[in-house]
Amino acid sequence: MDLDVLNMFVIAGGTLAIPILAFVASFLLWPSALIRIYYWYWRRALGMQVRYANYDDYQFCYSYRGRPGYRPSILMLHGFSAHKDMWLSIVKFLPKNLHLVCVDMPGHEGTTRSVLDDYSISGQAERIHQFVECIRLNRRPFHLVGTSMGGNVAGVYAAQYPEDICSLTLICPAGLPSTTESKFIKQLRELQESECIDRIPLIPSTPEEMADMLKLCSYVRFKVPQQILQGLVDVRIPHNDFYRKLFLEIVNEKSRHSLHENMSKIKAPTQVIWGKQDQVLDVSGASVLASAIPDCHVYILENCGHSVVVERPRKTANLILEFLALLHSMGNNKKQA
């Protein structure tokens, strides 16, 4: 074989080997870095851009796609200990011409974390209102979506700032009393009785605890490799002290039933989406909302747990689009009448 040809194959082989070895090394040694790269790549692929907004000395981190148009903008509020990128699975199934905004909740990811901040549900709603004013999202009423803790905040926001929103989607929201205790609530009570309250099931510190949390939150059983579980834990561990503080804040008397206490003030058309097999927040909360909010559309998803956004992203995206289309059609009919 010609020496030049041989050298070409060696160089080509080396060029291919370097990224492959880098990937394997990252997977084995720094799985958390791989997870961050994964989200970065997914944001780019979906056209989501990351930006920052400042309110006095407070910084909000958010991602967005599209521009405000004739259809309402959509603001998405994630759940406890998550971040703006959790919505990417739903963004994938939404039209690219919709104006979407996903914000890191107070203290999470790129948004300011301060020991002086009010992390109660009403305090978080006030912060989100500051963010909305920063980016002037409320120049026209927008559609607000929230899941779990973010659903609690979204409901309180709709009650406190009704002029800002035109409609509301609550996905397995917290903040409601339940006649049926979920598996998660039972676990919390058992831990409280045994004085092991530091071992909160939603704040894992080991790959095994992470696997247990995923089983608790999902009806669908995802096969997650040990290294990925380790990466997920590594990403969270530096923030676990904050998550514990936040958790105690949102389950205390001031915030525990915030959504329930504000339901009667919600005037916007509301959509409720809940996983029937939710083990974190019992699905009976959907009927509580339906009985209290006049214009409430409830959708219970079979074979789905608390992580609706991850387990049924296409269905959730379609339900939101259908709801918005229904409201648009009803608005046109009222104008014609």
Side-chain angles (χ1 to χ4, degrees), residues 104-120:
D104 285 327
M105 297 293 284
H108 290 74
E109 199 75 3
T111 292
T112 296
R113 178 180 300 172
S114 168
V115 293
L116 301 176
D117 218 7
D118 178 4
Y119 290 107
S120 68

Side-chain angles (χ1 to χ4, degrees), residues 119-309:
Y119 290 107
S120 68
I121 296 301
S122 61
Q124 291 191 60
E126 184 179 348
R127 279 294 188 197
I128 295 302
H129 182 61
Q130 292 170 358
F131 167 71
V132 164
E133 292 193 317
C134 273
I135 66 169
R136 301 179 66 192
L137 189 65
N138 54 353
R139 283 180 293 180
R140 291 179 56 197
F142 58 88
H143 180 71
L144 182 58
V145 181
T147 184
S148 196
M149 179 194 77
N152 194 354
V153 175
V156 172
Y157 188 103
Q160 292 182 350
Y161 307 101
E163 67 283 354
D164 280 4
I165 71 166
C166 59
S167 46
L168 178 67
T169 294
L170 303 177
I171 304 173
C172 303
L176 298 169
S178 177
T179 54
T180 306
E181 270 195 344
S182 67
K183 181 179 178 179
F184 172 63
I185 298 301
K186 290 177 182 176
Q187 287 179 348
L188 276 185
R189 193 177 67 249
E190 290 168 4
L191 289 171
Q192 199 166 21
E193 289 170 357
S194 63
E195 298 183 350
C196 295
I197 195 61
D198 283 344
R199 294 175 54 199
I200 299 168
L202 297 182
I203 309 177
S205 298
T206 66
E208 293 72 26
E209 290 177 359
M210 174 59 71
D212 289 340
M213 188 189 82
L214 294 178
K215 289 177 185 176
L216 178 68
C217 293
S218 301
Y219 175 80
V220 177
R221 292 292 176 254
F222 299 102
K223 293 183 179 179
V224 184
Q226 184 74 8
Q227 285 300 121
I228 297 298
L229 290 173
Q230 184 64 60
L232 292 170
V233 170
D234 290 346
V235 168
R236 296 171 63 98
I237 281 178
H239 309 287
N240 276 356
D241 287 343
F242 166 71
Y243 294 152
R244 289 188 187 94
K245 176 186 174 183
L246 174 62
F247 183 82
L248 295 175
E249 185 70 46
I250 62 179
V251 298
N252 72 12
E253 290 299 323
K254 183 178 178 181
S255 295
R256 186 181 305 164
H257 297 145
S258 291
L259 178 55
H260 186 255
E261 292 161 2
N262 284 272
M263 288 188 308
S264 60
K265 300 176 187 175
I266 298 175
K267 305 304 178 186
T270 301
Q271 175 187 52
V272 175
I273 304 173
W274 217 302
K276 189 173 183 179
Q277 285 76 29
D278 191 339
Q279 298 182 96
V280 177
L281 300 170
D282 192 77
V283 68
S284 58
S287 58
V288 174
L289 289 167
S291 62
I293 301 174
D295 194 2
C296 189
H297 304 249
V298 175
Y299 304 89
I300 306 299
L301 304 186
E302 294 282 350
N303 302 322
C304 184
H306 186 67
S307 301
V308 172
V309 174

Side-chain angles (χ1 to χ4, degrees), residues 1-11:
M1 182 181 289
D2 186 270
L3 187 60
D4 290 338
V5 175
L6 180 61
N7 286 337
M8 183 181 69
F9 276 112
V10 171
I11 293 169

